[in-house]
Each structure stands twice: as C-alpha cells, then as structure tokens.
Amino acid sequence: MSTDDTAAQQNAAEFAWQNDDVFGRIAARYDQLCDVFSFGIHRLWKRRVARRIANEEWRTLLDGATGTGDIILRVLADASTQGRTVIASDVSTKMLAIAEQRLRSFQDTLSLRLLDAENMPSIPTDSIDAYSISLGLKICNRHLAIQEALRVLTPGGRLIVLEASNIRWKLLHRAYLTYMAVCMPALGWLASGGDASAYSYLLQGVRDFPSAEQFAQELLNHGFEEVEFERLSLGIVAIHSARKPRKRP
Ligand SMILES: C[S@@+](CC[C@H](N)C(=O)[O-])C[C@H]1O[C@@H](n2cnc3c(N)ncnc32)[C@H](O)[C@@H]1O
C-alpha cells in the first residue's frame, strides 16, 4: 500500500481515540442515536452482516471496534454459532461495559477485550479464523487495521467489513451527503444533549471513505484474495468480504 496517502486517506474521519473519548461520552446513548440517524435502517444492515458472519466457518471470531456489541449480540443469537469462541474488542471501556451487560448470557463463549484495531500485539499471528469490523474502519487508520487483520487471521481465514460506502448514482449520493451534512450535526447536537462531536467525525468518515470498488482494490493491495462486496440500501453501506491467502504447499 502506498505510503504517500494523506492522513485523511488513511483515516477517513481523522479520528484518534487517544485524543478524544467521544465514544465514551456517547456510549450510553449510542444505540438510540443509531436509530435516530438511520431511521432504524442500521438494524437491517446489522442483521445482514451478522448473518454473513455467522454463516462463515470459524471456531474463533474477533470483532474489532465492537462498540456496544450490537452486531455480536446478533451473531451469538444465531444457533449455528453455539460453542464457537468470540472475542469482541474496542478501545472504549465505556462501550465495552455496555457490551458486557448486553452479552452477559453468552459469557461462556465470549471474551471482551480492550484492543486497538490498528495494533493488537496480544493477539498472536495466524490465530483467528474470522475477523469482522463494522462501522469502525472509517474512524481509524484503515490501512493499519487491515494489515493487523491480515496478520491475526489464520491462512484461509475470512475478513468481513460493514462500512459506509457510495450510492452509485452520483446525484443521489450527493443529495445523501447533503442530508447528512445538514441534518446529522443538528440531530446529533439535539440527541446527545449538545455534544455533536461524534457525528462530525462520522460525517467526515462517511464522506471520505473510499467507494466500494476502491476499498475492494485496497483489500487486494494489502494481500487479501477472493474480495467481494455487497451494497446495502442502494450503497449507503457495503459489506466487503475477503480471504487471507492459504499457505502454499
Ligand atoms: C461507530 S461505532 C461502531 C460500533 C459497532 N461496531 C456497531 O456497528 O454498532 C465505532 C466504535 O469504534 C471504536 N473505535 C474507534 N477507534 C478504534 C480503534 N482504533 N480500535 C478499536 N476500536 C475503535 C469506538 O470506540 C466505537 O465503539
């Protein structure tokens, strides 16, 4: 991957959790805010990606930037994942505390870990069968996070990413971005009691994250293969999947 990328090209939202505990501040309201901003549509996206994750063959799944556990809850509720091991991770202790409460009934197979998706030295190389990250890549340095996913995955292991994407019809995409730019900060300010900062990061992340095709190419450039994507809601978000190359005999 080119090292000439600007900071914004590497980290669409130009967000660094070390400088701003914004997700800690909104953790208690995060799920309701998702409903407000997406008119509830995020539930369809999460259900879809959870089904994709559950349908993959894995014994150990690592979910990065897991937030309040909204997706992992759906993955673990799928009967096919019984007895499989899940590591749900995030950099925000407040988000993880909510995830812990919501996922209490799955504590036998689930562990919650404080991990920076960009650098996870406590996760051994080639140790994870499937790695998922949803709505998190646009707010971190995605190149570092993808490299780290590639490192921890077992050869042949699966990457699944749900992330903001692009509506193929440019005018419609522009109208969507305008709606986001006008409504999101105002709604965010109202819904979060005067703290709209999270949503200015997310807005920038949505605007500057690469298109589905460009992101697929980035995954190939990093060394993944079998890269595929599926657009949801006309392309407002997309699910990308990819495989870490198997070891050649
Ligand atoms: C938009 S939320 C998405 C949460 C969840 N995946 C979902 O879809 O509901 C983004 C999450 O990424 C976390 N995060 C931000 N930077 C991170 C990083 N470098 N490593 C791991 N998590 C990070 C935040 O704390 C937050 O919980």
Side-chain angles (χ1 to χ4, degrees):
M1 181 54 53
S2 162
T3 50
D4 306 333
D5 285 355
T6 64
Q9 283 168 325
Q10 295 174 7
N11 181 335
E14 295 188 62
F15 171 73
W17 59 272
Q18 297 89 339
N19 302 336
D20 189 354
D21 184 26
V22 64
F23 288 99
R25 291 199 299 277
I26 62 159
R29 287 178 297 240
Y30 178 76
D31 293 311
Q32 292 91 322
L33 290 171
C34 286
D35 277 333
V36 172
F37 287 121
S38 72
F39 302 108
I41 297 170
H42 75 112
R43 291 167 183 254
L44 301 178
W45 305 337
K46 289 177 176 175
R47 201 180 308 148
R48 177 78 186 148
V49 76
R51 198 172 319 129
R52 290 281 301 268
I53 296 168
N55 286 346
E56 292 293 338
E57 279 179 30
W58 48 267
R59 280 162 302 154
T60 307
L61 166 74
L62 171 59
D63 188 54
T66 207
T68 60
D70 216 21
I71 289 169
I72 285 307
L73 188 62
R74 291 167 167 84
V75 172
L76 289 167
D78 188 306
S80 70
T81 64
Q82 268 179 23
R84 304 203 250 172
T85 304
V86 175
I87 303 168
S89 64
D90 201 283
V91 283
S92 165
T93 49
K94 294 210 172 100
M95 286 290 213
L96 283 178
I98 294 173
E100 187 173 21
Q101 279 177 13
R102 300 181 77 198
L103 299 166
R104 209 175 309 133
S105 53
F106 299 102
Q107 58 194 11
D108 291 349
T109 48
L110 172 78
S111 65
L112 290 156
R113 302 271 294 271
L114 199 58
L115 293 176
D116 179 353
E118 297 176 10
N119 182 26
M120 306 184 286
S122 60
I123 305 291
T125 299
D126 294 350
S127 65
I128 301 290
D129 305 314
Y131 177 89
S132 55
I133 184 163
S134 298
L135 309 175
L137 271 190
K138 67 176 165 302
I139 52 164
C140 62
N141 182 320
R142 68 178 177 281
H143 296 312
L144 294 181
I146 294 165
Q147 271 164 24
E148 210 36 4
L150 188 65
R151 181 186 69 78
V152 301
L153 277 170
T154 51
R158 272 293 204 188
L159 171 74
I160 297 164
V161 178
L162 168 69
E163 193 46 89
S165 197
N166 62 308
I167 301 175
R168 264 180 298 177
W169 299 278
K170 286 205 169 73
L171 272 178
L172 198 56
H173 190 60
R174 242 177 268 150
Y176 165 67
L177 290 180
T178 306
Y179 154 75
M180 297 283 281
V182 173
C183 296
M184 216 171 170
L187 278 176
W189 192 85
L190 285 172
S192 62
D195 180 3
S197 48
Y199 296 94
S200 46
Y201 289 124
L202 293 178
L203 178 62
Q204 183 176 339
V206 166
R207 208 187 44 215
D208 290 349
F209 199 77
S211 70
E213 291 81 0
Q214 287 165 338
F215 182 56
Q217 187 58 51
E218 286 187 5
L219 292 174
L220 290 169
N221 294 348
H222 275 284
F224 278 98
E225 55 187 34
E226 295 180 30
V227 177
E228 292 172 0
F229 62 82
E230 173 189 10
R231 287 188 166 92
L232 306 182
S233 302
L234 300 177
I236 291 177
V237 296
I239 299 175
H240 282 73
S241 66
R243 191 180 293 286
K244 175 170 172 172
R246 292 190 172 84
K247 281 211 166 96
R248 310 252 179 263

